Amino acid sequence: TRDPPPLRALLRDSTDANRGDIFLPRGRVGMLVAPGGTGKTMALLQLGVSVAAGLPWLGRFVVDPDAIGRVIVILGEEDDDSAHRRIATIAKHLRISEDPVVLDLLQRNFHFLSMHGRSTQLIDATGNTTDTFKQLQDQISNLSHGGPLSMLAIDPAARFMGPNSELESSAATRFVQLFEPLTKLPGRPSVLMCHHATKNAAKSKTTDQGAARGSSALTDGVRWQANLTRCSDTEGTDRDYDLELTLVKANDVKPLKRPVRLKRLSGGYLRATAVSTRRTPAEDFDSRF
């Protein structure tokens, strides 16, 4: 009979129509799905920098004041130099060096760990955790000693999965379950994974929950999923956007009415330009009932 605790936010939608609405909750396992080469790694690093420094993500979503804090991004494909270049591009676009307070926040809160060229598989064929997972737990623990975590992310999920995680629903569920205890760490971090879209989804510009490659248990297991899709060639070459971001699953969160259009700027930096006029599957359902 007691009042339940409020849902805590990592990101809130800053648009006039949805001012203050939670876009990404704290303490959840989520997934960002996109075809290869779309820009999901840059989008993830931009999110990490935003949370660490308290700056808007994509120029559209604001970090909840209570959520500004330590971020750990674990990269499976990017080496240290490549990650450094991407982060420098983000810092340049956000003009971080011009604000000593923001620069200090970023330097204290943002951490990335490159697993490039190393064993990254976290579970084996039997579903048991590997030595890599245990080592990663130790590294996360060491990095989090400086304060509570706000966000933990891996990119891409396929590098860290077990051999059957994309094929068998039980293995996919087990993979998601690996990250659920991490949401209980001090700070109740949001745990995000980047994952590839299926070939059919990439070709058809699919924006629903079925876009994620492999077993549907991955989407069923996470509590939040957003898709990045390339614009259709039929939309013309004079458009002012290159990608669309669609929220396709968000338990306890109000869905976005329409996809957010993104423009790719110099260095691959992504920024929201406008709201699409195309209806999402959720809005089509709402309009019929």
Side-chain angles (χ1 to χ4, degrees), residues 9-285:
L10 186 76
L11 294 179
R12 293 182 181 273
D13 194 333
S14 67
T15 59
D16 292 337
N18 301 298
R19 189 173 299 280
D21 282 352
I22 295 177
F23 175 72
L24 176 56
R26 297 280 293 276
R28 301 291 178 89
V29 178
M31 186 162 60
L32 178 63
V33 176
T38 303
K40 60 184 180 299
T41 299
M42 180 59 87
L44 184 69
L45 288 172
Q46 286 183 222
L47 176 56
V49 169
S50 292
V51 173
L55 300 172
W57 182 52
L58 305 175
R60 164 71 181 263
F61 303 101
V62 296
V63 181
D64 193 86
D66 293 334
I68 300 170
R70 298 175 71 82
V71 171
I72 301 174
V73 180
I74 303 167
L75 302 171
E77 294 179 341
E78 304 285 326
D79 60 21
D80 288 340
D81 292 344
S82 178
H84 191 175
R85 286 191 292 271
R86 287 180 182 266
I87 295 164
T89 294
I90 296 168
K92 181 179 179 180
H93 278 278
L94 293 174
R95 308 171 87 172
I96 285 177
S97 62
E98 298 177 12
D99 190 328
V101 175
V102 173
L103 179 60
D104 180 64
L105 281 172
L106 181 63
Q107 290 175 332
R108 286 192 288 112
N109 288 336
F110 186 84
H111 306 273
F112 76 86
L113 175 64
S114 172
M115 300 286 287
H116 177 73
R118 299 165 57 184
S119 174
T120 55
Q121 197 174 89
L122 302 183
I123 53 176
D124 59 25
T126 63
N128 294 318
T129 56
T130 63
D131 289 339
T132 300
F133 177 73
K134 296 167 186 174
Q135 292 167 6
L136 207 55
Q137 279 185 310
D138 291 339
Q139 289 175 305
I140 292 170
S141 177
N142 291 335
L143 288 173
S144 61
H145 281 163
L149 277 177
S150 291
M151 175 182 150
L152 174 66
I154 64 167
D155 173 49
R159 286 268 181 150
F160 299 89
M161 290 179 177
N164 302 317
S165 296
E166 288 196 60
L167 303 175
E168 300 177 3
S169 59
S170 59
T173 299
R174 172 62 177 143
F175 180 70
V176 174
Q177 287 175 328
L178 286 181
F179 301 101
E180 291 174 344
L182 300 178
T183 65
K184 309 297 183 184
L185 290 171
R188 295 297 303 272
S190 299
V191 180
L192 300 177
M193 62 181 83
C194 280
H195 189 43
H196 290 98
T198 66
K199 290 182 179 180
N200 286 337
K203 184 177 180 179
S204 62
K205 320 297 182 187
T206 300
T207 57
D208 60 20
Q209 294 184 21
R213 192 177 72 185
S215 171
S216 61
L218 287 171
T219 292
D220 294 339
V222 300
R223 313 312 293 159
W224 183 93
Q225 180 180 325
N227 295 351
L228 268 179
T229 53
R230 295 188 182 95
C231 299
S232 172
D233 294 336
T234 61
E235 295 182 63
T237 58
D238 58 344
R239 59 178 181 262
D240 64 347
Y241 62 96
D242 303 299
L243 305 167
E244 288 188 328
L245 175 72
T246 308
L247 186 61
V248 298
K249 179 177 181 179
N251 293 70
D252 302 325
V253 171
K254 184 178 179 180
L256 291 176
K257 286 295 183 180
R258 291 178 174 87
V260 178
R261 289 174 170 173
L262 304 176
K263 182 69 176 177
R264 184 181 284 110
L265 306 179
S266 61
Y269 183 82
L270 300 174
R271 184 173 179 84
T273 60
V275 177
S276 173
T277 57
R278 179 171 55 80
R279 290 177 179 269
T280 65
E283 189 175 11
D284 281 336
F285 181 86

